[in-house]
Every structure is written in structure tokens, then in C-alpha cells.
Amino acid sequence: QKEVEQDPGPLSVPEGAIVSLNCTYSNSAFQYFMWYRQYSRKGPELLMYTYSSGNKEDGRFTAQVDKSSKYISLFIRDSQPSDSATYLCAMSGISGSARQLTFGSGTQLTVLP
Amino acid sequence: SQTIHQWPATLVQPVGSPLSLECTVEGTSNPNLYWYRQAAGRGLQLLFYSVGIGQISSEVPQNLSASRPQDRQFILSSKKLLLSDSGFYLCAWSDRGSPSDTQYFGPGTRLTVL
């Protein structure tokens, strides 16, 4: 079993839809949770960063963490064609080394105009 | 603000040729540095990471090597490329003082080995 599971998609939605992207994980030591957006042929860019459980909102994006269920989500409201990208979840535990960021495999999202 | 550079952006090399990819970071000191490879449609594979000059840890046995000759410079090398070395190579940095190890990525180098 992988430490982080992410549905690879592809996910296709019409413009304006609410998108839900999800990851599950098995390591209860994870404390920090990140979402990256990667456009085709580009490096991943940090989108959202949360610590422990709860919600965090940034414009049209909301990151949600449920540590009791080991489940994190990214919601995109009023999705736009420019949101078409691969979304990667990532997480880490208490810092002790430089390699503790664990990534999901990414979900490919297409928003149709 | 911090900036991370990678070059070249694209590279086509014959099998058996050497490789040198360079990554530099600006605007921060003592970063942790990382090399990843991303195969088409696949996730990120951590290849090497470094916590300081001359300190390299390898995650995957392969014909690649990494070096960190300066604090903000990270180099990925190979003496003889294999077909399986094709992929998208990403350099990343994190703040050594950050508890989360949040990483920031460069633009990547797309390598095709023929």
C-alpha cells in the first residue's frame, strides 16, 4: 500500500463547476499538507499549505484536512479553463530530515469552456 | 524573493553520452536541495537530496550522480546516459528552518535520450 493514494483521473468538468480533488494517506505522523498545481511541461507550483486538521481558503480554492479519517481535499469553486492542470497532494511529518515530503501521483483535471 | 533556475530547459542526447543539469537558487541561504524525475503521466521520484555543500543523499540506485559545489548550486550528472533516463527532471528547494519541508520547484529540464 502506498503511503499516499490519489485518484489519477482524468477528471473533466464544465466551466463553473465545483471540483473536488482528494488524497488519502496511511501515516498518522503527517502534520503538514500541501497541494501543488502543475501545468503541462512546467514545474509544480505550491497552491495551498495547511497544518493539521481544518479548512483553509484562498480565493476560489479551499483545502480541507481530516486527520481522523486520514483524508485531505482541495475544492475549486467556479472552475475555469485556466485551472486545467495536474494537481498533486503532498504531506510531511515533523521535520527531522530533508526528505520527508511524500507526494501523491497527481490528478489530471480538465475544465471545459 | 526566492527564485530557482534550471538549465537547459530541453535536452536531446544520444545513449551513452554524458549529462550535466544545473540548478541554482537565489534569495535564500542554506537551502535543502532536491532532484526529482517525473516520467510521463507518473508521479515524482526523488533522486537525490542535499542538506549542505558536499552532502548528497541518494534515494534510488542508478547511473546518475549529484553534486553540490556551492550552497545554492545543485548539479545532476551522468557519465553514460541510458534510454531509461529520459524524463522530466525537476530541482526543488526547501527552507532548512521550515518544520514542514514545503518544497518549491524549478521549471524543469525535459531530457530525451535517443
Side-chain angles (χ1 to χ4, degrees):
Chain A
Q1 182 189 7
K2 290 182 182 178
E3 272 195 298
V4 178
E5 298 278 359
Q6 185 174 9
D7 187 339
L11 181 61
S12 185
V13 301
E15 183 175 355
I18 297 174
V19 176
S20 173
L21 304 168
N22 311 294
C23 288
T24 59
Y25 63 94
S26 57
N27 189 344
S28 58
F30 288 143
Q31 301 275 0
Y32 302 93
F33 304 91
M34 287 140 260
W35 286 95
Y36 288 85
R37 178 175 61 194
Q38 185 176 21
Y39 291 115
S40 179
R41 309 179 76 86
K42 303 290 186 184
E45 58 176 321
L46 181 67
L47 199 57
M48 300 281 287
Y49 157 73
T50 54
Y51 169 68
S52 196
S53 287
N55 292 359
K56 184 175 183 179
E57 188 173 320
D58 183 2
R60 297 185 294 109
F61 299 89
T62 299
Q64 194 172 78
V65 175
D66 182 350
K67 289 187 68 179
S68 62
S69 302
K70 297 190 179 65
Y71 188 88
I72 69 170
S73 300
L74 177 70
F75 297 97
I76 306 175
R77 292 185 300 280
D78 188 24
S79 56
Q80 303 294 311
S82 58
D83 296 327
S84 299
T86 295
Y87 290 80
L88 299 156
C89 64
M91 46 199 79
S92 66
I94 297 172
S95 181
S97 72
R99 59 174 291 276
Q100 287 187 333
L101 206 57
T102 302
F103 287 88
S105 56
T107 299
Q108 185 180 343
L109 170 68
T110 300
V111 181
L112 302 170
Chain B
S1 64
Q2 299 84 10
T3 310
I4 180 168
H5 303 279
Q6 281 187 250
W7 63 91
T10 306
L11 193 58
V12 180
Q13 292 285 92
V15 169
S17 63
L19 173 73
S20 181
L21 303 182
E22 189 163 344
C23 170
T24 58
V25 181
E26 296 176 355
T28 186
S29 297
N30 302 316
N32 295 322
L33 295 172
Y34 310 81
W35 278 112
Y36 288 87
R37 178 169 57 204
Q38 188 176 39
R42 306 279 293 277
L44 294 168
Q45 180 187 30
L46 180 63
L47 301 175
F48 301 94
Y49 68 96
S50 171
V51 298
I53 295 174
Q55 301 179 63
I56 309 296
S57 296
S58 173
E59 290 294 302
V60 182
Q62 60 218 331
N63 70 321
L64 299 172
S65 63
S67 62
R68 185 170 176 173
Q70 300 180 45
D71 180 49
R72 289 170 288 178
Q73 184 185 28
F74 206 22
I75 297 172
L76 183 69
S77 304
S78 173
K79 291 182 180 178
K80 287 186 177 182
L81 283 168
L82 306 173
L83 285 173
S84 58
D85 291 323
S86 292
F88 192 43
Y89 288 82
L90 290 158
C91 181
W93 73 274
S94 69
D95 182 348
R96 197 176 300 174
S98 167
S100 68
D101 283 320
T102 301
Q103 294 175 21
Y104 302 90
F105 288 85
T109 294
R110 188 159 303 277
L111 172 66
T112 303
V113 182
L114 301 175

Coordinates of all heavy atoms in Angstrom, one line a residue, chain A residues 7-40:
Chain A
D7 N -6.4 9.6 -6.7 CA -7.1 9.2 -7.9 C -6.5 9.9 -9.1 O -6.5 11.1 -9.1 CB -8.6 9.5 -7.8 CG -9.3 8.9 -9.0 OD1 -8.7 8.6 -10.0 OD2 -10.6 8.7 -8.8
P8 N -5.9 9.2 -10.0 CA -5.2 9.8 -11.2 C -6.1 10.5 -12.2 O -5.6 11.3 -13.0 CB -4.4 8.7 -11.8 CG -5.3 7.5 -11.5 CD -5.8 7.7 -10.1
G9 N -7.4 10.2 -12.1 CA -8.3 10.8 -13.1 C -8.1 10.1 -14.4 O -7.9 8.9 -14.4
P10 N -8.3 10.7 -15.6 CA -8.5 12.2 -15.7 C -9.9 12.6 -15.3 O -10.9 11.8 -15.4 CB -8.3 12.4 -17.2 CG -8.6 11.1 -17.8 CD -8.2 10.1 -16.9
L11 N -10.0 13.8 -14.8 CA -11.3 14.4 -14.4 C -11.6 15.5 -15.3 O -10.8 16.4 -15.6 CB -11.1 14.9 -12.9 CG -12.3 15.5 -12.3 CD1 -13.5 14.5 -12.2 CD2 -11.9 16.1 -10.9
S12 N -12.8 15.5 -15.9 CA -13.2 16.5 -16.8 C -14.5 17.1 -16.4 O -15.5 16.4 -16.1 CB -13.4 15.9 -18.2 OG -13.7 16.9 -19.2
V13 N -14.6 18.5 -16.2 CA -15.7 19.2 -15.7 C -16.0 20.4 -16.6 O -15.1 20.9 -17.3 CB -15.5 19.6 -14.3 CG1 -15.2 18.4 -13.4 CG2 -14.5 20.7 -14.2
P14 N -17.3 20.8 -16.6 CA -17.6 22.1 -17.4 C -17.2 23.3 -16.6 O -17.1 23.3 -15.3 CB -19.1 22.0 -17.5 CG -19.6 21.2 -16.3 CD -18.5 20.2 -16.0
E15 N -16.9 24.3 -17.3 CA -16.6 25.6 -16.7 C -17.6 26.0 -15.7 O -18.8 25.9 -15.9 CB -16.4 26.7 -17.7 CG -16.0 28.0 -17.2 CD -15.7 29.0 -18.3 OE1 -15.8 28.6 -19.5 OE2 -15.4 30.2 -18.1
G16 N -17.2 26.5 -14.5 CA -18.1 26.9 -13.5 C -18.5 25.9 -12.4 O -19.0 26.2 -11.4
A17 N -18.1 24.6 -12.7 CA -18.4 23.5 -11.8 C -17.5 23.6 -10.5 O -16.4 24.3 -10.5 CB -18.1 22.2 -12.5
I18 N -18.0 23.0 -9.5 CA -17.2 22.8 -8.3 C -16.4 21.5 -8.4 O -16.9 20.5 -8.7 CB -18.0 22.8 -7.0 CG1 -18.8 24.1 -6.8 CG2 -17.2 22.5 -5.8 CD1 -19.8 24.1 -5.7
V19 N -15.1 21.6 -8.2 CA -14.2 20.4 -8.3 C -13.7 20.0 -7.0 O -13.4 20.8 -6.1 CB -13.0 20.8 -9.2 CG1 -12.0 19.6 -9.3 CG2 -13.4 21.2 -10.6
S20 N -13.7 18.7 -6.8 CA -13.2 18.1 -5.5 C -12.1 17.2 -5.8 O -12.3 16.2 -6.6 CB -14.4 17.4 -4.8 OG -13.8 16.7 -3.7
L21 N -10.9 17.4 -5.3 CA -9.8 16.6 -5.5 C -9.4 16.0 -4.1 O -9.4 16.7 -3.1 CB -8.6 17.4 -6.1 CG -8.9 18.1 -7.4 CD1 -7.8 19.1 -7.8 CD2 -9.1 17.1 -8.5
N22 N -9.0 14.7 -4.1 CA -8.8 14.1 -2.8 C -7.6 13.2 -2.7 O -7.1 12.7 -3.8 CB -10.0 13.2 -2.5 CG -11.3 13.9 -2.8 OD1 -11.7 14.8 -2.0 ND2 -12.1 13.5 -3.8
C23 N -7.1 13.1 -1.5 CA -6.0 12.2 -1.2 C -6.2 11.5 0.1 O -6.8 12.1 1.0 CB -4.6 12.9 -1.2 SG -4.0 13.5 -2.7
T24 N -5.9 10.2 0.2 CA -5.9 9.5 1.4 C -4.4 9.1 1.8 O -3.6 9.0 0.9 CB -6.8 8.3 1.4 OG1 -6.3 7.4 0.3 CG2 -8.2 8.6 1.1
Y25 N -4.2 9.0 3.0 CA -2.8 8.6 3.5 C -2.9 7.6 4.6 O -3.9 7.5 5.3 CB -2.0 9.9 3.8 CG -2.6 10.7 5.0 CD1 -2.1 10.5 6.3 CD2 -3.6 11.6 4.8 CE1 -2.6 11.2 7.3 CE2 -4.0 12.4 5.9 CZ -3.5 12.2 7.1 OH -4.0 12.9 8.2
S26 N -1.8 7.0 4.9 CA -1.8 5.9 5.9 C -0.9 6.3 7.1 O -1.1 5.7 8.2 CB -1.3 4.6 5.3 OG 0.0 4.8 4.7
N27 N 0.0 7.3 7.0 CA 1.0 7.6 8.0 C 0.4 8.7 8.9 O 0.2 9.8 8.6 CB 2.3 8.1 7.4 CG 3.4 8.3 8.4 OD1 3.1 8.3 9.6 ND2 4.6 8.4 7.9
S28 N 0.0 8.3 10.1 CA -0.6 9.2 11.1 C 0.4 10.3 11.6 O 0.0 11.2 12.2 CB -1.2 8.4 12.3 OG -0.1 7.7 12.9
A29 N 1.7 10.2 11.2 CA 2.6 11.2 11.6 C 2.6 12.4 10.8 O 3.2 13.4 11.1 CB 4.0 10.6 11.6
F30 N 1.9 12.3 9.6 CA 1.8 13.5 8.8 C 1.1 14.7 9.5 O 0.0 14.5 10.0 CB 1.1 13.2 7.4 CG 2.0 12.3 6.5 CD1 1.3 11.3 5.8 CD2 3.3 12.5 6.4 CE1 2.1 10.5 4.9 CE2 4.1 11.7 5.5 CZ 3.4 10.7 4.8
Q31 N 1.7 15.9 9.4 CA 1.2 17.0 10.1 C 0.9 18.2 9.1 O 0.1 19.0 9.4 CB 2.2 17.5 11.2 CG 2.5 16.5 12.2 CD 1.5 16.5 13.3 OE1 0.5 17.3 13.3 NE2 1.7 15.6 14.3
Y32 N 1.7 18.2 8.0 CA 1.7 19.3 7.1 C 1.2 18.8 5.7 O 1.6 17.8 5.3 CB 3.1 19.9 6.9 CG 3.6 20.4 8.2 CD1 4.4 19.6 9.0 CD2 3.3 21.7 8.7 CE1 5.0 20.0 10.2 CE2 3.9 22.1 9.9 CZ 4.7 21.3 10.6 OH 5.2 21.7 11.8
F33 N 0.3 19.6 5.1 CA -0.4 19.1 3.9 C -0.4 20.2 2.9 O -0.7 21.3 3.2 CB -1.8 18.7 4.2 CG -1.9 17.6 5.3 CD1 -2.0 18.0 6.7 CD2 -1.8 16.3 5.0 CE1 -2.1 17.0 7.7 CE2 -1.9 15.3 6.0 CZ -2.0 15.7 7.3
M34 N 0.0 19.8 1.7 CA 0.2 20.8 0.6 C -0.5 20.3 -0.7 O -0.7 19.1 -0.9 CB 1.7 20.9 0.3 CG 2.5 21.7 1.3 SD 4.1 21.0 1.6 CE 3.8 20.0 3.1
W35 N -0.9 21.3 -1.4 CA -1.4 21.0 -2.8 C -0.6 21.8 -3.8 O -0.3 23.0 -3.6 CB -2.9 21.4 -2.9 CG -3.8 20.5 -2.3 CD1 -4.3 20.6 -1.0 CD2 -4.3 19.2 -2.8 NE1 -5.1 19.5 -0.7 CE2 -5.2 18.7 -1.8 CE3 -4.2 18.6 -4.0 CZ2 -5.8 17.5 -2.0 CZ3 -4.9 17.4 -4.2 CH2 -5.7 16.8 -3.2
Y36 N -0.1 21.1 -4.8 CA 0.6 21.7 -5.9 C -0.2 21.6 -7.2 O -0.9 20.6 -7.4 CB 2.0 21.0 -6.1 CG 3.0 21.2 -5.0 CD1 3.0 20.4 -3.9 CD2 4.0 22.1 -5.2 CE1 3.9 20.6 -2.9 CE2 4.9 22.3 -4.2 CZ 4.9 21.5 -3.1 OH 5.9 21.7 -2.1
R37 N 0.0 22.6 -8.0 CA -0.6 22.6 -9.4 C 0.5 22.6 -10.4 O 1.5 23.3 -10.3 CB -1.4 23.9 -9.6 CG -2.1 24.0 -10.9 CD -3.0 25.3 -11.0 NE -2.2 26.5 -10.7 CZ -2.8 27.7 -10.4 NH1 -4.1 27.8 -10.3 NH2 -2.0 28.7 -10.2
Q38 N 0.4 21.7 -11.3 CA 1.4 21.5 -12.4 C 0.8 21.6 -13.7 O 0.0 20.7 -14.1 CB 2.1 20.2 -12.2 CG 3.3 20.0 -13.2 CD 4.1 18.7 -13.0 OE1 3.6 17.8 -12.4 NE2 5.3 18.7 -13.4
Y39 N 1.1 22.7 -14.4 CA 0.7 22.8 -15.8 C 1.6 21.9 -16.7 O 2.7 21.6 -16.3 CB 0.7 24.2 -16.3 CG -0.3 25.1 -15.6 CD1 0.1 26.2 -14.8 CD2 -1.7 24.9 -15.9 CE1 -0.9 27.0 -14.2 CE2 -2.6 25.8 -15.3 CZ -2.2 26.8 -14.4 OH -3.2 27.6 -13.9
S40 N 1.1 21.6 -17.9 CA 1.8 20.7 -18.8 C 3.2 21.3 -19.1 O 3.3 22.4 -19.4 CB 1.0 20.5 -20.0 OG 1.6 19.7 -20.9

